[in-house]
């Protein structure tokens, strides 16, 4: 299955994508995760992208497109993928459509994670990510079993993303509203869009995702 997860930062796309990807046996491709890894490793892409990510701006189009193109060309993406955080504006969506035509591929569904600004801000400000394995927690809504220790890898470095600080969050929400939200209408017109009530608790969101994918 070839899926795009669309929605504001903090709507729970990554949380659901990582679960579903495991179930379906397809890679969870998060452009944000790929960029953060490149930044941590200080690769040329990472060095170029860092200032944009830290400020909550979109990373330049050519960088992101090349990164997606390379990742979709890897063996594990041959039978499907979940794209999380891409495309993020109309320019990326149109270039992605061209790329898929060249690859003789197509999107099966776009899941739109709908959540209000108040909800996403409360999720982002208390999000913590394991530095070792990337597992995502929330200090109130889904804390690790032992405070400060990752359930998955036992790591003790649960950090706050640099762009989950208040000013960067505000910027990301502004960028989302002006650049990314118009994609909801774009994909609705194609008939691929399915809406998810992303304000529900995690397990109910998981059930809703399954329901939206099982029906035509
Ligand atoms: P996104 O990938 O859309 O930016 P995440 O999956 O990282 O969002 O989730 C943002 C934060 O909200 C994380 O701290 C996560 O643990 C928490 N979260 C995810 N889904 C839910 C939910 N349904 N209810 C409450 N908190 C959630
Ligand atoms: P995310 O992990 O999806 O919240 O993305 C974190 C940051 O990475 C964003 O605020 C952007 O700076 C950058 N980023 C991720 N995906 C894209 C994309 N498709 N286009 C441009 N920038 C992106």
């Amino acid at each position: 299955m070839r899926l795009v997860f669309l929605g504001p930062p903090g709507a729970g796309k990554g949380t659901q994508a990582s679960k579903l990807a495991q179930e379906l046996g397809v890679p969870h491709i998060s452009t944000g995760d790929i960029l953060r890894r490149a930044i941590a490793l200080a690769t040329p892409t990472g060095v170029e992208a860092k200032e944009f990510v830290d400020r909550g701006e979109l990373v330049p189009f050519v960088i992101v497109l090349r990164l997606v193109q390379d990742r979709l060309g890897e063996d594990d993406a041959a039978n499907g993928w979940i794209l999380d955080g891409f495309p993020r504006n109309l320019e990326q969506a149109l270039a992605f459509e061209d790329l898929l035509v060249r690859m003789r591929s197509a999107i099966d569904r776009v899941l739109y994670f709908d959540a209000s600004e108040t909800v996403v801000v409360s999720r982002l400000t208390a999000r913590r990510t394991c530095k070792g394995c990337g597992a995502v927690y929330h200090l109130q809504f889904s804390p690790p079993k032992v405070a400060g220790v990752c359930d998955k890898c036992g790591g003790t470095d649960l950090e706050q993303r640099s762009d989950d600080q208040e000013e960067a969050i505000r910027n990301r929400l502004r960028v989302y509203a002006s650049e990314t939200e118009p994609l909801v209408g774009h994909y609705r017109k194609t008939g691929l869009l399915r809406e998810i009530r992303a304000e529900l608790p995690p397990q109910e969101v998981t059930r809703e995702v399954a329901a939206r994918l099982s029906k035509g």
Side-chain angles (χ1 to χ4, degrees), residues 98-166:
D98 284 348
L99 174 66
L100 290 176
V101 168
R102 288 201 299 280
M103 295 176 73
R104 296 191 167 73
S105 184
I107 300 170
D108 294 311
R109 291 269 192 294
V110 176
L111 297 189
Y112 166 44
F113 287 70
D114 188 15
S116 69
E117 183 160 329
T118 315
V119 166
V120 299
V121 168
S122 79
R123 289 184 183 174
L124 291 172
T125 45
R127 171 162 64 183
R128 294 293 181 274
T129 308
C130 172
K131 199 170 178 187
C133 72
V136 173
Y137 298 95
H138 187 281
L139 295 179
Q140 283 90 48
F141 307 141
S142 55
K145 291 192 186 84
V146 178
V149 181
C150 177
D151 296 345
K152 295 205 174 119
C153 76
T156 52
D157 227 340
L158 302 187
E159 55 183 18
Q160 185 170 33
R161 275 171 46 174
S162 58
D163 60 348
D164 279 346
Q165 313 286 340
E166 187 153 347

XYZ file of all heavy atoms in Angstrom, residues 98-166:
531
model
N 4.714 13.765 -10.737
C 5.585 13.491 -11.899
C 6.536 12.331 -11.606
O 6.731 11.444 -12.435
C 6.457 14.714 -12.235
C 5.643 15.792 -12.932
O 4.504 15.494 -13.349
O 6.144 16.935 -13.029
N 7.124 12.379 -10.398
C 8.068 11.327 -10.019
C 7.374 9.961 -10.020
O 7.911 8.971 -10.538
C 8.646 11.634 -8.626
C 9.537 10.563 -8.003
C 10.824 10.391 -8.797
C 9.879 10.921 -6.553
N 6.156 9.909 -9.481
C 5.435 8.631 -9.421
C 5.096 8.118 -10.818
O 5.173 6.922 -11.075
C 4.169 8.779 -8.570
C 4.428 8.964 -7.068
C 3.116 9.210 -6.323
C 5.143 7.754 -6.475
N 4.753 9.029 -11.716
C 4.469 8.607 -13.100
C 5.732 7.976 -13.696
O 5.675 6.896 -14.286
C 3.994 9.812 -13.945
C 3.968 9.460 -15.429
C 2.616 10.271 -13.488
N 6.884 8.635 -13.466
C 8.146 8.096 -13.999
C 8.459 6.738 -13.379
O 9.035 5.871 -14.016
C 9.308 9.061 -13.731
C 9.275 10.331 -14.584
C 10.655 10.962 -14.667
N 11.199 11.359 -13.380
C 10.881 12.485 -12.726
N 10.031 13.342 -13.265
N 11.425 12.766 -11.560
N 8.066 6.556 -12.113
C 8.337 5.276 -11.429
C 7.237 4.248 -11.704
O 7.261 3.153 -11.141
C 8.427 5.508 -9.911
C 9.591 6.367 -9.467
S 9.528 6.683 -7.678
C 10.010 5.097 -7.037
N 6.250 4.609 -12.511
C 5.057 3.764 -12.760
C 4.405 3.350 -11.439
O 4.092 2.170 -11.203
C 5.422 2.526 -13.570
C 5.915 2.853 -14.952
C 6.016 1.594 -15.800
N 6.197 1.923 -17.191
C 7.323 2.395 -17.728
N 8.368 2.597 -16.955
N 7.400 2.660 -19.017
N 4.225 4.340 -10.578
C 3.652 4.092 -9.263
C 2.532 5.098 -9.025
O 2.290 5.967 -9.876
C 4.765 4.237 -8.222
O 4.302 3.919 -6.952
N 1.839 4.966 -7.904
C 0.751 5.913 -7.611
C 0.398 5.849 -6.127
O 0.644 4.835 -5.466
C -0.479 5.548 -8.438
N -0.173 6.931 -5.634
C -0.649 6.969 -4.244
C -1.976 6.207 -4.171
O -2.851 6.399 -5.018
C -0.900 8.433 -3.807
C 0.371 9.282 -3.901
C -1.489 8.492 -2.412
C 0.124 10.790 -3.708
N -2.132 5.331 -3.144
C -3.419 4.639 -2.968
C -4.389 5.482 -2.142
O -5.587 5.514 -2.417
C -3.218 3.288 -2.261
C -2.421 2.331 -3.145
O -2.778 2.204 -4.325
O -1.442 1.746 -2.650
N -3.888 6.103 -1.073
C -4.737 6.919 -0.194
C -3.919 8.027 0.447
O -2.740 7.847 0.735
C -5.255 6.105 0.988
C -6.233 5.039 0.683
C -7.666 5.553 0.762
N -8.544 4.412 0.724
C -8.669 3.621 -0.331
N -8.012 3.884 -1.444
N -9.459 2.570 -0.271
N -4.611 9.146 0.716
C -4.023 10.211 1.535
C -4.856 10.282 2.806
O -6.079 10.496 2.728
C -4.069 11.566 0.794
C -3.543 12.685 1.691
C -3.257 11.496 -0.503
N -4.240 10.043 3.960
C -4.975 10.154 5.220
C -4.699 11.524 5.822
O -3.542 11.884 6.058
C -4.553 9.062 6.202
C -4.826 7.626 5.783
C -4.568 6.681 6.953
C -6.250 7.439 5.267
N -5.782 12.264 6.057
C -5.665 13.617 6.588
C -5.969 13.584 8.086
O -7.103 13.332 8.493
C -6.625 14.544 5.839
C -6.851 15.870 6.498
C -5.794 16.612 7.022
C -8.137 16.414 6.592
C -6.003 17.834 7.632
C -8.354 17.642 7.193
C -7.291 18.333 7.723
O -7.502 19.535 8.344
N -4.937 13.839 8.903
C -5.063 13.840 10.364
C -5.511 15.235 10.803
O -4.714 16.170 10.810
C -3.720 13.469 11.013
C -3.394 12.018 10.871
C -3.066 11.483 9.631
C -3.441 11.171 11.963
C -2.787 10.137 9.487
C -3.165 9.825 11.833
C -2.842 9.301 10.598
N -6.786 15.319 11.157
C -7.384 16.616 11.462
C -7.369 16.847 12.973
O -7.943 16.057 13.725
C -8.827 16.611 10.922
C -9.470 17.982 11.010
O -8.741 18.975 11.209
O -10.703 18.047 10.881
N -6.692 17.921 13.398
C -6.674 18.272 14.829
C -6.523 19.783 14.955
O -5.875 20.419 14.122
C -5.515 17.567 15.536
N -7.128 20.350 16.000
C -7.109 21.810 16.183
C -5.725 22.274 16.631
O -4.919 21.489 17.149
C -8.130 22.212 17.245
O -7.675 21.757 18.507
N -5.514 23.582 16.499
C -4.238 24.176 16.908
C -3.994 23.972 18.409
O -2.884 23.655 18.826
C -4.247 25.668 16.536
C -2.937 26.323 16.875
C -2.681 27.623 16.130
O -3.150 27.752 14.978
O -2.031 28.492 16.712
N -5.054 24.128 19.216
C -4.889 23.961 20.670
C -4.380 22.556 20.982
O -3.465 22.368 21.787
C -6.261 24.153 21.375
O -6.879 25.298 20.806
C -6.125 24.296 22.852
N -4.966 21.555 20.335
C -4.559 20.168 20.600
C -3.119 19.931 20.135
O -2.302 19.375 20.883
C -5.541 19.170 19.922
C -4.954 17.773 19.884
C -6.863 19.175 20.662
N -2.778 20.385 18.947
C -1.416 20.073 18.476
C -0.354 20.816 19.298
O 0.705 20.249 19.578
C -1.214 20.281 16.945
C -2.139 19.391 16.157
C -1.301 21.706 16.510
N -0.660 22.024 19.733
C 0.332 22.742 20.556
C 0.556 21.976 21.867
O 1.689 21.783 22.306
C -0.108 24.206 20.823
C 0.759 24.853 21.895
C -0.044 25.027 19.539
N -0.533 21.474 22.480
C -0.354 20.744 23.751
C 0.402 19.439 23.522
O 1.122 18.972 24.399
C -1.695 20.504 24.446
O -2.354 19.423 23.845
N 0.275 18.852 22.350
C 1.035 17.624 22.061
C 2.511 17.926 21.795
O 3.399 17.207 22.254
C 0.436 16.906 20.859
C -0.909 16.274 21.194
C -1.438 15.504 20.027
N -2.752 14.951 20.320
C -3.490 14.326 19.422
N -3.044 14.169 18.183
N -4.671 13.857 19.755
N 2.768 19.008 21.062
C 4.155 19.293 20.663
C 5.016 19.745 21.843
O 6.189 19.372 21.935
C 4.178 20.373 19.571
C 3.621 19.952 18.213
C 3.508 21.155 17.283
C 4.489 18.878 17.581
N 4.408 20.543 22.739
C 5.234 21.105 23.813
C 5.698 20.020 24.789
O 6.701 20.192 25.463
C 4.479 22.222 24.580
O 3.159 21.754 24.844
C 4.403 23.496 23.779
N 4.978 18.898 24.864
C 5.382 17.833 25.797
C 5.842 16.574 25.057
O 5.875 15.495 25.633
C 4.245 17.519 26.756
N 6.192 16.713 23.770
C 6.709 15.551 23.026
C 8.173 15.314 23.404
O 8.953 16.244 23.543
C 6.610 15.823 21.521
C 7.322 14.772 20.675
C 6.881 14.770 19.247
N 7.191 15.998 18.535
C 6.819 16.220 17.259
N 6.116 15.323 16.595
N 7.141 17.355 16.672
N 8.528 14.070 23.576
C 9.923 13.708 23.819
C 10.292 12.579 22.866
O 9.480 11.702 22.596
C 10.132 13.233 25.264
C 9.902 14.320 26.309
C 10.940 15.437 26.257
N 10.725 16.457 27.290
C 9.911 17.495 27.157
N 9.226 17.680 26.042
N 9.773 18.374 28.142
N 11.524 12.606 22.370
C 11.969 11.602 21.406
C 13.221 10.924 21.949
O 14.129 11.604 22.451
C 12.312 12.291 20.059
O 11.200 13.088 19.680
C 12.586 11.280 18.971
N 13.273 9.598 21.847
C 14.459 8.866 22.309
C 15.609 9.115 21.343
O 15.479 8.866 20.139
C 14.154 7.374 22.402
S 15.634 6.404 22.755
N 16.732 9.582 21.886
C 17.877 9.880 21.030
C 18.442 8.606 20.412
O 18.951 8.610 19.293
C 18.962 10.585 21.870
C 19.961 11.330 21.025
C 20.868 12.194 21.870
C 21.886 12.879 20.973
N 22.886 13.596 21.756
N 18.293 7.482 21.128
C 18.847 6.224 20.639
C 18.057 5.635 19.483
O 18.620 5.313 18.436
N 16.726 5.488 19.644
C 15.957 4.749 18.627
C 14.865 5.572 17.969
O 14.178 5.069 17.074
C 15.370 3.476 19.246
S 14.010 3.804 20.379
N 14.655 6.791 18.412
C 13.654 7.646 17.746
C 12.230 7.438 18.239
O 11.301 8.080 17.736
N 12.016 6.559 19.236
C 10.648 6.346 19.756
C 10.098 7.666 20.297
O 10.840 8.464 20.878
C 10.664 5.295 20.853
N 8.792 7.864 20.078
C 8.172 9.148 20.442
C 7.256 8.975 21.654
O 6.462 8.037 21.718
C 7.376 9.699 19.241
C 6.587 10.947 19.632
C 8.320 10.037 18.094
N 7.386 9.872 22.621
C 6.559 9.846 23.838
C 5.890 11.195 24.025
O 6.260 12.186 23.389
C 7.435 9.555 25.070
C 8.097 8.203 24.976
C 9.402 8.079 24.481
C 7.409 7.053 25.327
C 9.997 6.832 24.353
C 8.004 5.804 25.211
C 9.285 5.705 24.726
O 9.867 4.471 24.593
N 4.895 11.195 24.932
C 4.317 12.461 25.376
C 4.309 12.412 26.898
O 3.908 11.395 27.482
C 2.891 12.618 24.834
C 2.309 13.960 25.122
N 1.798 14.302 26.351
C 2.195 15.066 24.342
C 1.371 15.560 26.311
N 1.601 16.042 25.109
N 4.764 13.495 27.543
C 4.946 13.451 28.999
C 3.660 13.105 29.738
O 3.694 12.436 30.761
C 5.525 14.776 29.507
C 6.947 15.100 29.023
C 7.419 16.445 29.559
C 7.923 13.988 29.412
N 2.492 13.550 29.213
C 1.223 13.193 29.885
C 0.479 12.058 29.176
O 0.009 11.128 29.788
C 0.259 14.394 29.929
C 0.576 15.442 30.968
C 1.494 16.504 30.398
O 1.249 17.017 29.317
N 2.563 16.830 31.112
N 0.365 12.147 27.841
C -0.553 11.248 27.130
C 0.040 9.877 26.832
O -0.694 8.892 26.759
C -1.014 11.884 25.809
C -1.577 13.262 25.959
C -1.306 14.252 25.027
C -2.398 13.581 27.034
C -1.822 15.536 25.163
C -2.925 14.856 27.187
C -2.628 15.841 26.251
N 1.342 9.782 26.628
C 1.941 8.451 26.418
C 3.375 8.461 26.931
O 4.338 8.397 26.167
C 1.873 8.031 24.946
O 2.472 8.996 24.132
N 3.501 8.541 28.271
C 4.849 8.573 28.865
C 5.490 7.185 28.826
O 4.771 6.174 28.740
C 4.569 8.991 30.319
C 3.166 8.573 30.590
C 2.427 8.591 29.277
N 6.813 7.111 28.907
C 7.449 5.799 29.017
C 7.072 5.155 30.359
O 6.698 5.862 31.298
C 8.941 6.136 28.960
C 9.044 7.567 29.336
C 7.762 8.227 28.952
N 7.162 3.816 30.426
C 6.730 3.114 31.661
C 7.543 3.585 32.872
O 7.020 3.774 33.954
C 6.881 1.605 31.475
C 5.876 1.053 30.466
C 5.834 -0.473 30.503
C 4.952 -1.009 29.405
N 5.668 -1.137 28.113
N 8.860 3.748 32.668
C 9.717 4.291 33.732
C 10.156 5.685 33.268
O 10.696 5.816 32.165
C 10.968 3.394 33.941
C 11.881 3.980 35.014
C 10.552 1.970 34.278
N 9.895 6.691 34.104
C 10.184 8.076 33.697
C 11.629 8.211 33.214
O 12.566 7.766 33.892
C 9.926 9.012 34.870
N 11.795 8.786 32.034
C 13.134 9.069 31.519
C 13.827 7.899 30.849
O 14.955 8.030 30.380
N 13.147 6.723 30.782
C 13.778 5.542 30.161
C 12.928 5.065 28.989
O 11.723 4.831 29.127
C 13.931 4.386 31.190
C 14.613 3.181 30.548
C 14.719 4.856 32.405
N 13.564 4.888 27.837
C 12.830 4.463 26.642
C 12.333 3.030 26.787
O 13.129 2.130 27.093
C 13.740 4.601 25.413
S 12.946 4.026 23.898
N 11.029 2.800 26.552
C 10.450 1.438 26.631
C 11.084 0.521 25.602
O 11.204 -0.684 25.814
C 8.943 1.450 26.311
C 8.135 2.232 27.327
O 8.671 2.529 28.406
O 6.968 2.541 27.016
N 11.445 1.094 24.444
C 11.858 0.231 23.333
C 13.326 -0.164 23.402
O 13.666 -1.307 23.142
C 11.586 0.940 21.999
C 10.088 1.144 21.813
C 9.661 1.274 20.384
C 8.134 1.322 20.315
N 7.605 2.538 19.739
N 14.230 0.797 23.740
C 15.661 0.458 23.683
C 16.371 0.629 25.027
O 17.565 0.353 25.125
C 16.354 1.277 22.584
S 16.648 2.990 23.029
N 15.633 1.104 26.047
C 16.262 1.277 27.362
C 17.140 2.522 27.456
O 17.737 2.780 28.502
N 17.203 3.297 26.369
C 18.016 4.522 26.371
C 17.494 5.521 27.400
O 16.313 5.508 27.758
N 18.379 6.390 27.882
C 17.957 7.335 28.924
C 18.018 8.780 28.438
O 17.958 9.709 29.223
C 18.833 7.183 30.181
O 20.202 7.272 29.776
C 18.577 5.864 30.885
N 18.172 8.944 27.132
C 18.223 10.292 26.566
C 16.919 10.594 25.849
O 16.807 10.416 24.640
C 19.405 10.349 25.577
C 20.234 11.584 25.797
O 19.705 12.520 26.411
O 21.399 11.601 25.355
N 15.896 11.001 26.587
C 14.622 11.367 25.965
C 14.622 12.882 25.825
O 14.520 13.607 26.808
C 13.440 10.896 26.815
C 13.377 9.390 27.093
C 12.072 9.024 27.795
C 13.515 8.567 25.808
N 14.803 13.333 24.577
C 15.043 14.767 24.406
C 13.871 15.473 23.742
O 13.055 14.863 23.068
C 16.337 15.005 23.616
C 16.339 14.298 22.287
C 17.648 14.457 21.528
O 18.675 14.810 22.123
O 17.614 14.219 20.313
N 13.874 16.792 23.920
C 12.872 17.630 23.258
C 13.471 18.103 21.940
O 14.627 18.540 21.911
C 12.541 18.830 24.140
C 11.426 19.671 23.555
C 10.921 20.730 24.523
O 11.696 21.258 25.323
N 9.647 21.056 24.437
N 12.712 17.986 20.864
C 13.218 18.462 19.575
C 13.460 19.969 19.632
O 12.696 20.697 20.250
C 12.188 18.158 18.483
C 12.326 16.764 17.922
C 11.207 16.371 17.021
N 10.803 17.355 16.033
C 9.905 17.119 15.083
N 9.314 15.931 15.008
N 9.580 18.050 14.213
N 14.518 20.415 18.927
C 14.839 21.848 18.986
C 13.709 22.674 18.377
O 13.485 23.818 18.762
C 16.153 22.126 18.264
O 16.054 21.688 16.929
N 12.935 22.077 17.439
C 11.841 22.848 16.836
C 10.522 22.642 17.582
O 9.474 23.076 17.120
C 11.698 22.535 15.342
C 11.395 21.071 15.049
O 11.514 20.237 15.967
O 11.018 20.772 13.911
N 10.556 21.991 18.744
C 9.356 21.908 19.580
C 9.373 22.984 20.677
O 8.700 22.875 21.695
C 9.202 20.508 20.200
C 8.592 19.501 19.216
O 8.056 19.929 18.169
O 8.646 18.284 19.494
N 10.177 24.014 20.481
C 10.151 25.195 21.363
C 9.073 26.130 20.827
O 8.782 26.126 19.628
C 11.492 25.931 21.339
C 12.711 25.048 21.486
C 12.911 24.546 22.904
O 12.377 25.133 23.841
N 13.655 23.471 23.056
N 8.527 26.952 21.741
C 7.334 27.722 21.399
C 7.426 28.528 20.102
O 6.523 28.485 19.264
C 6.950 28.634 22.566
C 5.615 29.301 22.267
C 4.838 29.687 23.507
O 5.200 29.219 24.607
O 3.879 30.456 23.347
